[in-house]
């Protein structure tokens, strides 16, 4: 999958995209990532990308021209680009695991990261989707883009060590995951449930299904 992030702060992506599963995905060639600094596409003498809002008010608004110019220069015309363009926005559709699954089937994803007071309204025409990662306001769209990139990339074939581990994760089947244990068998007087040590695969499967339902009822009844 090819991923582009249109941002004023490309350096914000360096840590998360260069560690753990995302680094492995890039090293394996499953993901190609490029952060595009849209300041480089400003046509003003001082490379301005923001201006004060018409009608007054606090803060600065991102101008539409540098973002349009950057997207066009990097992705080509809208009909040439076969992927999805996502606008990170607190006004967007709330991001979920099922959206991550749908996005994982795309060949390319591009993120437009707002900043300051947000972007000129006319930017919205560029995007296929507007996505929010929650009902709170972050400083910019970089962290939301990274959250979405992470959730999508771990679903790409061959990215996780064991394909099946994404399938049992919370939300993938509508439930929270069952409790997990590892060595030692006894810790602070708490024993690992006998069934997990029994080697009886059917019983283990049944126990896990029951516990997943129990955890969901207890912690997130709204999912049921
Ligand atoms: C400080 S916010 C602007 C908020 C805007 N003034 C408003 O009230 O809707 C700057 C940028 O951060 C990103 N952003 C902030 N919170 C977000 C969220 N919950 N989900 C997705 N993007 C978010 C968006 O790209 C937004 O344009």
């Amino acid at each position: 999958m090819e991923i582009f992030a249109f941002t004023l702060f490309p350096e914000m992506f360096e840590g998360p995209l260069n560690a753990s599963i995302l680094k492995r995905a890039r090293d394996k060639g499953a993901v190609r990532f490029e952060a595009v600094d849209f300041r480089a596409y400003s046509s003003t003498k001082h490379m301005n990308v923001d201006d004060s809002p018409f009608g007054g008010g606090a803060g600065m608004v991102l101008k539409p021209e540098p973002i349009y110019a950057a997207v066009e220069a990097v992705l080509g015309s809208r009909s040439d680009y076969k992927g999805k363009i996502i606008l990170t926005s607190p006004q967007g559709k709330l991001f979920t695991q099922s959206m991550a699954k749908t996005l994982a089937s795309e060949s390319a994803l591009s993120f437009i990261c707002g900043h300051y007071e947000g972007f000129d309204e006319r930017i919205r025409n560029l995007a296929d989707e507007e996505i929010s990662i929650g009902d709170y306001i972050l400083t910019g769209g970089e962290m939301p883009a990274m959250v979405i990139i992470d959730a999508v990339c771990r679903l790409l074939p061959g990215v996780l060590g064991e394909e099946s581990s994404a399938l049992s994760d919370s939300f993938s089947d509508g439930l929270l995951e069952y409790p997990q244990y590892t060595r030692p068998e006894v810790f602070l007087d708490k024993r690992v449930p006998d069934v997990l040590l029994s080697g009886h695969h059917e019983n283990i499967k049944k126990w896990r299904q029951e516990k997943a339902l129990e955890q969901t009822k207890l912690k997130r009844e709204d999912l049921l």
Side-chain angles (χ1 to χ4, degrees), residues 43-194:
S43 55
T44 69
K45 191 170 152 211
H46 299 290
M47 307 305 270
N48 300 95
V49 287
D50 55 355
D51 210 331
S52 46
F54 278 126
M60 299 296 268
V61 174
L62 292 177
K63 291 159 70 60
E65 309 97 306
I67 300 179
Y68 258 81
V71 168
E72 203 164 85
V74 174
L75 303 184
S77 76
R78 201 62 194 82
S79 54
D80 290 343
Y81 177 63
K82 300 289 177 244
K84 278 240 146 66
I85 301 183
I86 295 163
L87 196 59
T88 56
S89 158
Q91 299 180 13
K93 216 169 138 194
L94 206 56
F95 186 58
T96 61
Q97 185 68 16
S98 94
M99 282 161 78
K101 247 187 237 169
T102 308
L103 293 178
S105 64
E106 296 288 337
S107 56
L109 295 178
S110 293
F111 295 87
I112 299 176
C113 306
H115 226 90
Y116 311 124
E117 272 314 302
F119 30 72
D120 185 291
E121 192 64 18
R122 290 162 291 182
I123 276 303
R124 294 190 201 276
N125 292 347
L126 264 180
D128 298 298
E129 287 190 43
E130 213 170 301
I131 299 183
S132 163
I133 61 159
D135 291 346
Y136 39 79
I137 301 295
L138 296 161
T139 305
E142 288 74 13
M143 285 199 267
M146 286 186 258
V147 165
I148 299 168
I149 292 169
D150 186 292
V152 169
C153 288
R154 64 200 306 288
L155 298 177
L156 297 176
V159 166
L160 289 185
E162 275 182 68
E163 285 297 320
S164 59
S165 57
L167 297 177
S168 68
D169 277 343
S170 297
F171 309 112
S172 30
D173 59 357
L175 298 178
L176 300 184
E177 195 187 44
Y178 47 79
Q180 298 269 26
Y181 295 88
T182 184
R183 288 183 187 83
E185 284 181 24
V186 182
F187 178 67
L188 296 177
D189 290 336
K190 289 199 171 84
R191 281 194 64 78
V192 173
D194 287 341

Side-chain angles (χ1 to χ4, degrees), residues 185 191-207:
E185 284 181 24
R191 281 194 64 78
V192 173
D194 287 341
V195 63
L196 297 180
L197 308 174
S198 69
H200 194 300
H201 298 301
E202 263 316 299
N203 287 353
I204 292 173
K205 195 172 158 200
K206 196 162 158 268
W207 180 88

